[in-house]
Structure formats: structure tokens, C-alpha cells
Amino acid sequence: LPQEDLILHVGDITDDLTDYRLMRLFFGAMEGQDRLASHVFVPTQGNHEALNEGAEKFASIFANPSNGSVTTAPYDKAVYSFDYGNAHIAVLSTEVTEADWPVMMKWLERDMSRSRQTWKIAMLHRPPYNGNPASGNERSARYLPPVVDAGGIDLVIGGHDHMYARTVPLRAGRRHIGGATYLIAGSDSAKFYDNNGTGIASLAEVLFDDNQQTFTTLAIRGNRMQILTRALDGTVVDDTTLHAKR
């Protein structure tokens, strides 16, 4: 990706953030490609960043903006938002407590309502429309979609479920022109999930669970966003263009 500007990571950077060997491999690979030195890297806290003392490590490693609503340390370092180009991006933590979820959702709705950017994007680890029913996505499913609809969010990017999927535009969980698009961009490791026809399957325009790693690029040009997803061998898995609501 020689022309990329911004690198978004949907969580589970390694199997265990507290394992120094795994972190060294990840950062070594990124630095070897001159990514961390020359690009903005945006991390999302996944469940494997909350194992053991992972949440504390996540907070100490990444210098994220401190403008989120969660005050419970160390998760206060995992909820934040920022502008990049003509996009406003909010990053959430799906690993916060049940009590923190309503607080985080009120912040998200307020944060998005204040933005005048062309594109509104939310990123979190556990997707609200799951690819695997055993994934533990219940809180995302219960809390997030109403706020996405109320806040006029265009795109929600998730991971966790080890496959790729893109929904049709949704509002209140149903197809709706002008609604939000939801991505599961989780097939970038050595582990894969197979969808059994439940969850996101009935809402998906593209569902790819062929046990191949994929990567997704978002190319924003004004009020148009191209979503291009490829397998590592270059095969195009998904290629579509979204149009901003504003």
C-alpha cells in the first residue's frame, strides 16, 4: 500500500498484548516497512488487549487522544475521536464494563452531533452484527446501532469475528437507503471463523469466510468513499463506493 496515509487497526494486535515476544514481532514488522515512523497508526482495543494486564499495557504503549468519556482507568485511554481530512473518526472500546457502555454511547452521540465533517466513522472491536453467534457481541448489538442511526454515522468498522463482511445500508437493523454500512474486517490472522447463515449473513452484501487473510483500504475523495478489500494474493473480495449523507 505505497500511497496509504492512515492505518486503522480493529483490535487484537496480538494474541496477548502482555507477551513481549508477540509485540516485538508486530512492531518489528511495522517498523521494517517504515509504517510507524511515517504514518498515523490508530489502534482499537480488542479483547486480547484486555487479557491479563493488557489494558494497562495498551494505555501505556499508545498515545491516543484523551477526549473520550470513559473515566475508568486504564480504559479511558481506549475511547477517543479525531478528525482526519474530511472524516471524523470515533474509536470505541468494547471491553469496558456494562456500566460504562451507556456513558460511552452518550459521548458518541454528542461527539458525532458536534462534527461537521463530510464523513462520520466509528471503529470498535466487537461488531454489532456478528459473523459468529458465539463471539460475545451482545453489548455492541444492544447499544451501538441506535446511536449510529441518531448520530448520522456513515460507516462502522469492526473486527473480532475472523472473516470479512459488508452489510447493505442499515437503519434500525433493516435495509434502508442512506443508512450506515457495517464492516467486519477481521480476517487478518491465522485464525478463521465460518459463518453458519446467522447474524450478519442476512444483512450482508458481501460475506467472505474462505479462510484467507484480507486487507481493506478506504479511499476518500470528497463525498465518495471507495471500499476495496483484497486477499493477500491480490484477489478482489469487495469493491464498492459509498456516498456521504452530507
Side-chain angles (χ1 to χ4, degrees), residues 43-70:
T44 308
Q45 185 178 65
N47 56 303
H48 287 271
E49 278 80 62
L51 288 173
N52 302 316
E53 297 83 30
E56 289 82 1
K57 299 290 186 185
F58 183 89
S60 65
I61 290 172
F62 298 109
N64 299 329
S66 299
N67 62 346
S69 63
V70 177

Side-chain angles (χ1 to χ4, degrees), residues 30-43:
M30 294 286 284
E31 290 168 357
Q33 299 175 55
D34 194 31
R35 292 296 189 263
L36 292 182
S38 57
H39 296 79
V40 177
F41 179 77
V42 183

Side-chain angles (χ1 to χ4, degrees), residues 161-166 184 186-187 192-195 200 204-215 229-233 235-238:
D161 291 346
H162 294 247
M163 62 183 66
Y164 176 81
R166 174 176 57 81
I184 297 177
S187 55
F192 301 98
Y193 290 170
D194 294 321
N195 183 269
I200 201 170
E205 187 164 332
V206 176
L207 196 156
F208 183 78
D209 62 351
D210 288 4
N211 296 358
Q212 296 183 54
Q213 289 91 354
T214 65
F215 61 97
T229 299
R230 296 181 177 135
L232 289 186
D233 64 3
T235 301
V236 175
V237 172
D238 188 16

Side-chain angles (χ1 to χ4, degrees), residues 159-197:
H160 189 58
D161 291 346
H162 294 247
M163 62 183 66
Y164 176 81
R166 174 176 57 81
T167 68
V168 297
L170 297 176
R171 186 174 181 85
R174 297 182 178 181
R175 181 191 289 265
H176 187 280
I177 295 175
T181 297
Y182 293 78
L183 294 184
I184 297 177
S187 55
D188 59 352
S189 72
K191 181 168 70 173
F192 301 98
Y193 290 170
D194 294 321
N195 183 269
N196 63 358

